[in-house]
């Protein structure tokens, strides 16, 4: 593999995917963001500040836990869990939120808006806004508001205003639409803090940058523990931010299989076709007329018909593999990890665990799998309880 895999061939493009297809008012906003990002990302004082917050506020570095009992039970590859669930606010989202809020501050914004699905990005954004004393509005699909009522209350506790969006099925896609409308109206004072590796350029590149800490750490940790690279890295894919963060440091290591896991009900990378959605070109689930199809995953964070453009490129080039998992397999994995390791995973992360349960026995005892545990499952236990009854 060559370095080309992480280097878009033109700014904002990953092969034919990515780009920026937005109304004219937004183009200058995105250009300003792009300039700020490229200015600060290599600025030593910015890096120092970002690392300070990762360490002192997020709680990094988090462990790479050897899942000894699960490994023994499955009888195959040694399984390691990258513990993003142990971050402050309980998921990987805060890595990106802290990075973007520092950018927002540098750019002089005093109001932050964001979309959220599971509520995790909303909570992470509201948290960062509270810490930085910024005004915060979160857009959330009405159905997600219902499914994740505790996260709604958390965001309000943190001082954010939560706007419930009932249109378009009331899911993540509708929330993104509304957040973009807000940005078009208020772009002069407002920073749109995007939660996944999606959206028009420069967002996928920014989110990749701030999430890459996951694989930079896991690579160092697995080398320390095992003295070699893993054979596979497994992560769930919604918009693709935890997966891109879990993959990025390994992209040029040809021997490492990169495996993204999607719900069968939102299998964008398996069943999607190229389209422009929310301002960027990527694979997308769509009907005959090219309209985005509604998705129906039990994991709100994976319930999105699009995917980050870099994943479409990794798929097209064959560098990463993408597989699907059923609801039942997710529920089984959710319980399995809880019982065998004492770790309740987020339903999203349980997709990665579910694929690992299939993959580990197919590999040898000398093989190593790193599973990205993108978040903890406390937010999901009430919903899972209902589903199991
Ligand atoms: C939001 C979320 C996801 C899905 O988002 P990605 O951008 O695909 O990572 C996965 N896991 C958890 C715990 C989440 O909160």
């Amino acid at each position: 593999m060559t370095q080309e895999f992480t280097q878009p061939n033109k700014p904002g493009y990953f092969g034919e995917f990515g780009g920026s297809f937005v109304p004219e008012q937004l183009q200058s906003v995105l250009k300003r963001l792009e300039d700020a990002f490229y200015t600060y990302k290599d600025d030593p004082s910015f890096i120092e500040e970002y690392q300070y917050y990762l360490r002192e506020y997020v709680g990094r570095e988090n462990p790479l836990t050897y899942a000894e009992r699960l490994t023994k039970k499955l009888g195959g590859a040694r399984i390691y869990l990258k513990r993003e669930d142990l971050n402050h606010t309980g998921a990987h989202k805060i890595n990106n939120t802290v990075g973007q809020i520092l950018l927002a501050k540098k750019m002089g914004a005093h109001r932050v808006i964001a979309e959220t699905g599971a509520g995790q990005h909303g909570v992470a954004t509201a948290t960062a806004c509270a810490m930085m004393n910024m005004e915060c509005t979160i857009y959330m699909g009405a159905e997600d508001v219902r499914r994740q009522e505790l996260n709604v209350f958390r965001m309000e506790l943190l001082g954010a205003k939560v706007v419930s969006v009932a249109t378009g099925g009331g899911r993540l896609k509708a929330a993104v639409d509304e957040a973009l409308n807000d940005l078009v109206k208020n772009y002069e004072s407002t920073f749109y803090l995007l939660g996944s590796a999606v959206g028009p350029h420069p967002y996928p590149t920014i989110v990749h940058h701030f999430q890459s800490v996951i694989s930079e750490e896991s690579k160092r940790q697995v080398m320390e523990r095992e003295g070699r690279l893993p054979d596979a890295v497994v992560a769930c894919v919604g918009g693709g931010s935890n997966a891109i963060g879990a993959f990025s440091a390994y992209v040029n290591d040809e021997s490492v299989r990169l495996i993204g896991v999607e719900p069968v009900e939102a299998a964008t990378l398996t069943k999607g076709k190229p389209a422009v959605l929310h301002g960027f070109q990527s694979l997308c689930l769509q009907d005959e007329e090219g309209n985005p199809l509604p998705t129906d995953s039990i994991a709100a964070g994976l319930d999105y018909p699009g995917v980050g453009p870099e994943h479409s490129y990794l798929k097209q080039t064959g560098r990463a593999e993408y597989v699907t998992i059923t609801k039942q397999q997710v529920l089984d994995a959710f319980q399995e990890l809880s019982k065998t390791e004492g770790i309740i995973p987020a339903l999203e992360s349980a997709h990665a665990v579910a694929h690992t349960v299939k993959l580990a026995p197919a590999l040898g005892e000398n093989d190593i799998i790193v599973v990205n545990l993108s978040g903890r499952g406390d937010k999901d236990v009430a919903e899972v309880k209902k589903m199991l009854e």
Side-chain angles (χ1 to χ4, degrees):
M1 295 296 150
T2 68
Q3 282 182 335
E4 307 282 295
F5 278 100
T6 45
Q7 298 296 320
N9 48 7
K10 6 180 196 164
Y13 275 87
F14 306 87
E16 71 187 78
F17 302 107
S20 177
F21 302 84
V22 295
E24 214 166 309
Q25 312 101 292
L26 280 186
Q27 280 169 20
S28 59
V29 183
L30 294 176
K31 182 72 180 84
R32 239 186 104 228
L33 175 62
E34 182 188 16
D35 290 345
F37 172 66
Y38 284 117
T39 302
Y40 290 113
K41 86 179 176 64
D42 299 320
D43 177 281
S45 75
F46 184 85
I47 295 171
E48 198 180 308
E49 201 179 357
Y50 178 53
Q51 286 176 348
Y52 169 83
Y53 284 107
L54 286 185
R55 191 177 63 241
E56 302 294 328
Y57 194 71
V58 175
R60 303 200 77 97
E61 76 178 37
N62 58 40
L64 183 72
T65 304
Y66 176 46
E68 189 176 352
R69 287 152 299 277
L70 187 63
T71 296
K72 289 216 172 97
K73 196 162 172 186
L74 295 172
R78 285 197 294 288
I79 300 164
Y80 284 90
L81 308 170
K82 182 58 178 155
R83 301 295 304 280
E84 295 301 308
D85 62 313
L86 294 180
N87 295 342
H88 179 45
T89 70
H92 68 289
K93 298 258 169 40
I94 190 106
N95 304 326
N96 169 53
T97 309
V98 162
Q100 284 195 44
I101 205 106
L102 292 174
L103 259 187
K105 212 175 70 167
K106 292 278 188 208
M107 293 174 72
H110 53 79
R111 176 172 180 263
V112 166
I113 59 171
E115 82 300 333
T116 196
Q120 289 291 85
H121 174 57
V123 170
T125 302
T127 300
C129 286
M131 180 184 70
M132 292 289 176
N133 194 24
M134 295 244 198
E135 197 186 320
C136 181
T137 300
I138 304 292
Y139 289 94
M140 190 167 186
E143 175 62 13
D144 291 332
V145 166
R146 185 196 65 77
R147 292 196 286 189
Q148 306 288 346
E149 56 173 327
L150 275 179
N151 270 345
V152 174
F153 181 62
R154 268 181 204 114
M155 288 181 258
E156 288 167 352
L157 263 181
L158 292 160
K161 183 173 146 206
V162 180
V163 179
S164 170
V165 184
T167 51
R171 300 279 166 87
L172 185 57
K173 190 197 154 297
V176 176
D177 289 337
E178 273 311 298
L180 284 173
N181 287 342
D182 182 321
L183 186 62
V184 168
K185 274 187 239 141
N186 302 306
Y187 62 90
E188 278 168 5
S189 61
T190 296
F191 185 98
Y192 185 178
L193 207 162
L194 204 73
S196 190
V198 298
H201 178 65
Y203 282 109
T205 301
I206 291 176
V207 175
H208 171 125
H209 179 75
F210 289 129
Q211 291 294 359
S212 61
V213 64
I214 299 174
S215 52
E216 282 160 15
E217 281 181 12
S218 79
K219 192 172 183 176
R220 189 167 7 93
Q221 290 168 317
V222 77
M223 290 303 290
E224 274 166 22
R225 291 284 285 274
E226 294 276 355
R228 68 177 189 87
L229 292 171
D231 298 276
V233 177
V234 182
C236 66
V237 180
S241 70
N242 88 87
I244 220 65
F247 292 172
S248 60
Y250 300 101
V251 163
N252 296 321
D253 301 312
E254 212 179 336
S255 67
V256 182
R257 285 172 68 187
L258 305 176
I259 306 175
V261 187
E262 295 182 306
V264 100
E265 302 83 4
T268 312
L269 287 153
T270 309
K271 294 189 207 135
K273 300 211 172 58
V276 173
L277 174 69
H278 296 143
F280 64 104
Q281 168 93 14
S282 194
L283 295 175
C284 178
L285 293 170
Q286 48 193 310
D287 64 17
E288 318 252 283
E289 271 108 59
N291 304 309
L293 279 175
T295 54
D296 184 29
S297 170
I298 56 172
L302 306 182
D303 223 354
Y304 179 62
V307 69
E310 193 170 1
H311 285 290
S312 296
Y313 182 59
L314 290 172
K315 152 107 192 204
Q316 192 186 50
T317 55
R319 177 60 190 94
E321 310 156 46
Y322 295 89
V323 298
T324 59
I325 283 295
T326 66
K327 253 177 216 187
Q328 192 56 54
Q329 290 167 331
V330 173
L331 287 173
D332 291 346
F334 184 89
Q335 295 169 86
E336 182 71 54
L337 195 70
S338 303
K339 285 208 178 84
T340 50
E341 295 294 340
I343 299 170
I344 303 175
L347 275 174
E348 291 83 1
S349 322
H351 286 70
V353 177
H355 184 68
T356 303
V357 168
K358 292 196 211 168
L359 180 65
L363 299 180
E365 281 177 17
N366 291 325
D367 291 329
I368 300 165
I369 303 175
V370 170
V371 187
N372 197 41
L373 215 64
S374 56
R376 64 174 184 234
D378 306 43
K379 68 183 177 60
D380 296 313
V381 287
E383 190 80 9
V384 170
K385 180 168 180 277
K386 263 190 255 158
M387 284 187 280
L388 293 178
E389 274 161 12

